[in-house]
Amino acid sequence: MDALLSRLDELVLKPEFQPLLSLFKGARNGIVYGSKVRFPHALVMILLFRSGTFRQKIKLVLNATRLHARNLATFAVIYKLSMIVLRNINPADVGKEGRYDSFFAGLLGGYAVFGRQRGSISQQIVIYVFARVMLALAKIAIQPNIHPLSSLITPEARTTMTDNAWPVFASMTWASVMYIFRWYPDTLASSLRSSMVYIYSDSDHWDSLRTLFLHNK
């Protein structure tokens, strides 16, 4: 048995198997991470806020976990496979990663996995990533030598922008969502809208001490 395990260790470490095995590892890590992230979140949200029997709620939790894990695993495989293909068809230098390979691989994976699905889990993942992308782009935009206007940004101005980027982003985000909730609530995602109704609208109404302190309605 030890000899067999040793032989398998040698095989998985061979450079020629690395691209193929990286696909397997990417799928594995996508499944594990997606399950770890989604299961506790779905367990709390569904048990507390969804109606139905306990069995029905558990089924919803498991289904949400499966979808999240599957999406991340599938994207990982498509992305890594695309990167392998793009490296090997690079006209400038076969086998070398191109500057924009990751962009096009992400574009393909994003469309195939998330762009063709409009379910709530896909939307949550994309929106989560989108917010992080916007913050990252804001940081990149003020780095030296990024674009023609970079030379006009002094070190002092760059420091000021960096220090104030998060407060501005947080303030504008909440200002926008509250305005939209007040005047165009139907355009918000149902889960966000329901939570905001509970906190901001339902809190304006009660008919006794019981509905003021103990129960919403």
Side-chain angles (χ1 to χ4, degrees):
M1 181 61 71
D2 290 343
L4 177 60
L5 292 176
S6 178
R7 177 57 180 165
L8 290 175
D9 283 340
E10 293 179 4
L11 286 175
V12 300
L13 292 176
K14 287 183 176 294
E16 58 266 31
F17 295 146
Q18 194 276 335
L20 179 62
L21 293 176
S22 73
L23 299 179
F24 168 80
K25 187 66 181 288
R28 179 264 181 198
N29 286 3
I31 291 172
V32 172
Y33 185 82
S35 299
K36 286 183 177 181
V37 169
R38 178 57 58 173
F39 181 78
H41 176 268
L43 185 66
V44 172
M45 298 302 293
I46 290 175
L47 289 182
L48 289 180
F49 297 107
R50 287 290 186 92
S51 59
T53 65
F54 180 77
R55 184 173 183 177
Q56 289 173 330
K57 290 181 179 181
I58 291 299
K59 186 176 180 180
L60 288 173
V61 170
L62 295 178
N63 187 53
T65 303
R66 178 182 62 82
L67 288 174
H68 197 134
R70 185 193 67 186
N71 283 349
L72 293 186
T74 305
F75 179 86
V77 170
I78 293 175
Y79 173 79
K80 295 177 77 66
L81 181 59
S82 299
M83 291 292 288
I84 293 171
V85 172
L86 289 171
R87 280 200 306 268
N88 284 279
I89 62 172
N90 185 350
D93 191 352
V94 175
K96 185 178 180 180
E97 179 182 338
R99 174 71 175 177
Y100 299 104
D101 285 2
S102 58
F103 178 86
F104 290 111
L107 186 69
L108 177 60
Y111 172 74
V113 179
F114 299 104
R116 298 173 64 187
Q117 299 182 29
R118 297 184 182 270
S120 60
I121 291 177
S122 290
Q123 289 183 2
Q124 289 168 15
I125 295 173
V126 172
I127 292 170
Y128 173 90
V129 173
F130 176 78
R132 273 62 183 175
V133 168
M134 291 298 101
L135 285 173
L137 289 177
K139 294 177 181 178
I140 293 172
I142 62 173
Q143 289 181 1
N145 305 317
I146 292 296
H147 50 75
L149 299 179
S150 294
S151 59
L152 301 178
I153 304 175
T154 65
E156 294 77 13
R158 187 171 291 112
T159 299
T160 300
M161 286 187 234
T162 301
D163 292 342
N164 290 282
W166 174 251
V168 170
F169 178 79
S171 302
M172 289 302 298
T173 297
W174 278 99
S176 300
V177 76
M178 297 313 297
Y179 178 84
I180 293 171
F181 174 66
R182 177 65 181 86
W183 298 107
Y184 308 99
D186 291 341
T187 63
L188 295 173
S190 59
S191 58
L192 175 59
R193 184 173 64 250
S194 63
S195 65
M196 296 185 76
V197 166
Y198 183 84
I199 296 172
Y200 306 110
S201 297
D202 290 353
S203 59
D204 287 335
H205 307 282
W206 61 90
D207 57 15
S208 66
L209 287 175
R210 180 176 177 274
T211 55
L212 176 62
F213 291 111
L214 300 179
H215 294 280
N216 184 44
K217 293 181 180 179

